[in-house]
Amino acid sequence: MKPYVSTDRADLWLADSLEVYPRLPSESFELVICDGPYNLGIEGEEWDKVADLVALYEPHVTEWDRLCKPGASVYLWGSERGWPLLHPLMLRHGWRFQSLIVWDKGSAPSQKCSREAARNWPIASEVAGFYTRDPWNQTAATGPATFVGHAAGKDDRNWIREWLVAEWEATGLRRKDADRAMGTNGMAGHYFGRSQWELPTWDRFVQLAEAAQRHGPPRGRPYFVHPEAIGLRESWEHLRASWEHLRASWEHLRTEYEAQRAPFDLPIATTNVWRRPAVRGAERLLDASGEKLHPCQKPIDLTERMIRASTRPGASVLEPFGGTCRAAVACHRLGDRRAVCIERERAYLDAVRPSLEFVGGDDAVSGQLGLWRPS
């Protein structure tokens, strides 16, 4: 069994996700975009009619435990009725709820009954639960600043805090001396304390290192230079002249710290409400008869927004209910991420193939060219 389509930016599997998961390596994905059945009972769409939504999703969420990296994220799409059923499942598996995204499509669907007969508000939105997995922070956030750091100091796996504390205590100085060295009031508690911990910035790290070396007892290596970052017995004078090993130490700490965090890069002027019309025009994939290929197509720019915000360059993205495989197209557009999309319907994969840069349009069954026409 191998991918139906494979490029340098995407693998498209023609299969059920539960068949493909065992073939994927552990801890290989930084992001999951899950857009499976909503159980809306769409007329003529048997795939969307699910007797037990939680039972359907549970084996998938279980597999994500193995497939996702420690600092991974999930966007779990659903309806205002279906998503609340799945939310407890995500929490049981250790995913930390961050926010609820609302896709506001901007206009109500055509009403099939008169105003007098209507018994509910017309629905013109979809939702996505945004979850992260941060090994060093298992408590609920209290605000934007606590997205990762706060409570990490309480976790025994956070060796960085322990090492920072040990380095400062070796000087014999007090924490208020650290604040004095940095010109702050109480900031040292964020670096050494178990509550509201965070990693010092480079500038703060230099201030702490200078104060430690100036006032601490002499020893074989400079303070705040981590043994794994160097092979040294250099003097502080050499260290201060070049900053090479001190900088290497801080980068060593920062790399370890960032590896435990779910990446997040907030797009400018955005909130959790995404206002974007439903897919239409050239972006809407059609079947051979000119009808809509898939009833629930997502805008490519929304998929790209999720990938940009919640992955680093070089990351892999999993789309277990591929549909028209927007993650694959988005990764081709970005050029520095890779997608694995899994879909059971051959027609959907054939329609998206021409949208991938390394696949021409002549072999697509539907003839649909997607977002780009081959030159």
Side-chain angles (χ1 to χ4, degrees):
M1 187 179 184
K2 62 181 182 179
Y4 182 64
V5 176
S6 187
T7 75
D8 68 339
R9 290 294 161 205
D11 284 337
L12 275 57
W13 291 81
L14 179 60
D16 185 283
S17 293
L18 297 177
E19 299 172 349
V20 177
Y21 289 149
R23 300 174 180 273
L24 304 177
S26 300
E27 296 191 5
S28 52
F29 295 100
E30 203 166 75
L31 174 64
V32 176
I33 300 177
C34 182
D35 193 13
Y38 291 5
N39 200 24
L40 294 175
I42 301 174
E43 184 177 354
E45 300 294 346
E46 295 301 321
W47 59 267
D48 191 56
K49 298 174 183 177
V50 181
D52 188 333
L53 208 60
V54 176
L56 171 69
Y57 277 86
E58 184 149 25
H60 293 272
V61 179
T62 299
E63 288 288 338
W64 301 344
D65 292 342
R66 178 184 68 83
L67 293 173
C68 288
K69 293 185 175 182
S73 301
V74 173
Y75 288 88
L76 180 63
W77 285 95
S79 68
E80 77 287 350
R81 294 182 180 180
W83 171 77
L85 299 176
L86 300 175
H87 177 64
L89 172 64
M90 295 295 289
L91 298 182
R92 285 202 306 272
H93 280 263
W95 291 96
R96 185 162 168 257
F97 177 67
Q98 295 290 359
S99 61
L100 185 65
I101 306 297
V102 178
W103 174 22
D104 176 5
K105 301 177 186 179
S107 61
S110 58
Q111 298 182 15
K112 297 182 179 180
C113 60
S114 65
R115 288 176 54 194
E116 292 76 12
R119 303 304 299 167
N120 198 359
W121 298 99
I123 297 173
S125 64
E126 297 179 29
V127 299
F130 173 41
Y131 300 85
T132 61
R133 189 166 70 179
D134 303 319
W136 287 357
N137 187 3
Q138 299 300 327
T139 63
T142 58
T146 65
F147 189 73
V148 173
H150 292 189
K154 299 177 182 178
D155 196 306
D156 293 338
R157 290 167 293 182
N158 183 2
W159 64 266
I160 297 176
R161 191 197 77 88
E162 301 295 335
W163 181 77
L164 290 172
V165 169
E167 287 293 288
W168 190 254
E169 288 182 345
T171 67
L173 299 172
R174 297 166 297 179
R175 290 189 186 178
K176 67 179 183 180
D177 295 322
D179 273 313
R180 188 177 295 113
M182 296 184 294
T184 61
N185 182 15
M187 195 64 198
H190 289 285
Y191 305 146
F192 302 131
R194 296 181 69 85
S195 175
Q196 298 187 343
W197 178 86
E198 60 185 78
L199 179 71
T201 64
W202 164 241
D203 290 339
R204 298 295 190 206
F205 192 73
V206 169
Q207 291 171 329
L208 291 171
E210 285 187 314
Q213 191 65 29
R214 187 179 300 115
H215 301 292
R219 64 177 187 175
R221 62 178 176 83
Y223 291 96
F224 288 93
V225 173
H226 196 278
E228 293 183 23
I230 55 169
L232 82 135
R233 289 288 174 185
E234 285 87 348
S235 67
W236 174 252
E237 288 72 23
H238 176 269
L239 177 70
R240 189 173 183 185
S242 68
W243 296 116
E244 177 183 356
H245 295 312
L246 189 65
R247 184 76 189 198
S249 245
W250 182 78
E251 291 289 354
H252 177 76
L253 301 179
R254 188 174 68 90
T255 298
E256 176 72 12
Y257 176 55
E258 291 294 337
Q260 303 301 321
R261 305 178 73 183
F264 187 72
D265 184 10
L266 180 67
I268 296 173
T270 54
T271 68
N272 69 317
V273 178
W274 297 354
R275 294 181 173 88
R276 167 66 157 83
V279 176
R280 62 188 64 171
E283 187 178 1
R284 193 168 185 82
L285 296 180
L286 307 176
D287 61 20
S289 63
E291 298 296 324
K292 62 183 179 183
L293 180 68
H294 191 291
C296 301
Q297 298 183 38
K298 288 288 188 298
I300 185 64
D301 56 316
L302 295 191
T303 302
E304 190 171 321
R305 176 182 296 180
M306 290 181 280
I307 294 174
R308 281 184 181 275
S310 297
T311 63
R312 303 176 180 91
S316 292
V317 181
L318 175 64
E319 196 172 36
F321 298 92
T324 53
C325 302
R326 301 296 83 187
V329 179
C331 285
H332 270 273
R333 287 176 55 154
L334 291 170
D336 56 4
R337 275 85 160 173
R338 199 166 197 284
V340 172
C341 303
I342 311 171
E343 173 53 47
R344 295 184 302 181
E345 296 294 330
R346 184 187 304 269
Y348 299 158
L349 299 185
D350 284 335
V352 77
R353 290 178 73 173
S355 297
L356 307 181
E357 294 175 353
F358 298 93
V359 181
D362 294 340
D363 58 352
V365 172
S366 68
Q368 174 69 23
L369 294 178
L371 301 183
W372 297 274
R373 294 181 180 274
S375 57

